[in-house]
Amino acid sequence: MVQRVADHKQVYLYSYNSHETEAELCGMEMRALFGGSVLYERESLLLSSRQIEPDRSPFMTLRMDIRMVARSVEELADQAGTMEAIVSGHSFKVVFIKSGDSYTYEEQRAFERVVGSRIPGRREMKKPGMTLGLIAVQGTWMLGICRFPERAWHAHIHKPQNYSTGLSAKAARALVNVMAPVVHGVRAVDPCCGMGNVLIEALSMGLDIRGRDINPLAIRGARTNLLHYGYKAELVTLGDMNELQGHFDAAMVDMPYNLCSVLPAEEQERMLSSLYRLAPRAVVVSTEEEVRERIRLAGYRISDECTIRKGSFVRHVWLCEAT
């Protein structure tokens, strides 16, 4: 492990957490965000050479920019004396990250003291200017700068307009990350945007995205929500997705449904064929598992999938890529 970390110019440690009903979605999001850059992974923890802002994911609780790695806490403490340039101008504290190897409370505090005492500078426990994380993973000790998510997306939970069965802000944010792991230079579309839940999460990440919906009431609600969060109402338009023209890099479709009727299979097939024409990469969400076969008939291959559960209400999620 020490050599694996040392072989990379910069390595980041991420911790994440999810409720059991969202565990599959969390896993799908992590696979999309990190791909083949993962150096080590276990439940709720991974090491990667890829730098991602922790606020991107609703499940991330920490990113630690690793600065030092050693085979023992004593060796790490010896190295900590060279941290002066990193903490210069900041007060700091050292915090043991519990996601790694298991130690007792007393051992964790002792590790913090032995490492923190070797770092030149001003220690401040209540309101430090910098938090340094200390962790052991499979016997490899690491020290680095902790970055915590601000959770600004929490402001999107209670929108002026919403459907009771619409995607939550948390689910929408995770699905945007599955749709577009890299946002720079990507044009995306949500052609069945409803009240704009996906649009708002995507826009807050800096993604270039447009919305469309065939329902005038949905468009009115989406525009109200966009304006509420400071985005342009013109980003959503009224119309049938089957008539939408243009090419996008990625798309998201939460297939329409209601409690009284099911969208006919022929209409679903038409929508998915239009989606294939619009974007080579798409996330499809549906309450009907049978949509899986219609996705393949449209020309996509399913590269990843999960389910999202809320009580007895189940959504199926497929990541689709053009064959």
Side-chain angles (χ1 to χ4, degrees), residues 78-102:
D78 289 339
Q79 293 183 30
T82 65
M83 290 282 285
E84 184 174 8
I86 295 174
V87 301
S88 178
H90 299 280
S91 59
F92 72 91
K93 72 174 178 180
V94 176
V95 175
F96 187 87
I97 308 299
K98 294 180 284 187
S99 304
D101 298 346
S102 179

Side-chain angles (χ1 to χ4, degrees), residues 244-266:
L244 182 61
Q245 300 299 314
H247 179 80
F248 301 87
D249 301 299
M252 167 90 68
V253 170
D254 187 0
M255 299 290 283
Y257 63 90
N258 60 49
L259 301 178
C260 301
S261 65
V262 176
L263 196 68
E266 296 78 10

Side-chain angles (χ1 to χ4, degrees), residues 2-23:
V2 172
Q3 190 59 49
R4 196 184 312 170
V5 175
D7 285 342
H8 292 79
K9 185 176 181 181
Q10 179 62 64
V11 174
Y12 305 91
L13 180 142
Y14 298 87
S15 64
Y16 54 91
N17 193 15
S18 65
H19 188 271
E20 61 182 12
T21 59
E22 299 167 316

Side-chain angles (χ1 to χ4, degrees), residues 229-247:
Y229 294 109
Y231 302 113
K232 295 179 180 179
E234 294 77 17
L235 291 173
V236 294
T237 56
L238 177 66
D240 188 336
M241 71 168 286
N242 297 309
E243 298 171 1
L244 182 61
Q245 300 299 314
H247 179 80

Side-chain angles (χ1 to χ4, degrees), residues 7-245:
D7 285 342
H8 292 79
K9 185 176 181 181
Q10 179 62 64
V11 174
Y12 305 91
L13 180 142
Y14 298 87
S15 64
Y16 54 91
N17 193 15
S18 65
H19 188 271
E20 61 182 12
T21 59
E22 299 167 316
E24 288 188 33
L25 176 60
C26 176
M28 189 175 185
E29 184 200 46
M30 294 301 146
R31 290 190 293 273
L33 286 173
F34 292 101
S37 72
V38 175
L39 306 177
Y40 172 82
E41 185 174 12
R42 57 181 281 182
E43 185 179 0
S44 79
L45 180 77
L46 64 82
L47 287 167
S48 172
S49 57
R50 187 168 297 171
Q51 183 185 48
I52 294 174
E53 290 303 315
D55 225 29
R56 275 286 302 271
S57 166
F59 301 114
M60 281 187 193
T61 57
L62 165 76
R63 186 189 85 205
M64 191 173 90
D65 303 355
I66 297 172
R67 293 289 184 264
M68 294 178 178
V69 59
R71 290 178 173 80
S72 69
V73 68
E74 292 81 10
E75 182 183 337
L76 194 70
D78 289 339
Q79 293 183 30
T82 65
M83 290 282 285
E84 184 174 8
I86 295 174
V87 301
S88 178
H90 299 280
S91 59
F92 72 91
K93 72 174 178 180
V94 176
V95 175
F96 187 87
I97 308 299
K98 294 180 284 187
S99 304
D101 298 346
S102 179
Y103 290 95
T104 66
Y105 176 85
E106 290 75 16
E107 288 172 325
Q108 294 171 23
R109 302 295 81 77
F111 295 147
E112 292 170 349
R113 287 192 295 271
V114 71
V115 173
S117 66
R118 305 288 185 88
I119 301 173
R122 181 166 59 90
R123 285 174 287 280
E124 172 59 57
M125 299 308 294
K126 291 186 177 180
K127 293 183 179 180
M130 179 181 292
T131 298
L132 300 176
L134 171 66
I135 191 170
V137 178
Q138 289 191 326
T140 295
W141 288 82
M142 290 167 275
L143 182 67
I145 302 170
C146 292
R147 318 284 185 184
F148 300 98
E150 296 179 2
R151 302 290 193 219
W153 63 270
H154 279 188
H156 306 157
I157 293 174
H158 302 293
K159 300 176 180 66
Q161 301 291 322
N162 214 342
Y163 288 135
S164 61
T165 54
L167 288 169
S168 68
K170 178 185 283 189
R173 194 167 188 85
L175 291 174
V176 168
N177 285 326
V178 174
M179 173 184 71
V182 177
V183 300
H184 181 69
V186 174
R187 290 186 70 240
V189 64
D190 182 350
C192 298
C193 69
M195 296 290 181
N197 293 8
V198 167
L199 294 178
I200 289 165
E201 297 311 315
L203 290 166
S204 72
M205 297 181 205
L207 186 65
D208 180 6
I209 190 168
R210 299 293 183 272
R212 189 178 179 91
D213 204 283
I214 200 170
N215 185 343
L217 293 177
I219 291 296
R220 190 180 308 165
R223 286 175 175 169
T224 297
N225 288 335
L226 287 170
L227 290 171
H228 178 76
Y229 294 109
Y231 302 113
K232 295 179 180 179
E234 294 77 17
L235 291 173
V236 294
T237 56
L238 177 66
D240 188 336
M241 71 168 286
N242 297 309
E243 298 171 1
L244 182 61
Q245 300 299 314

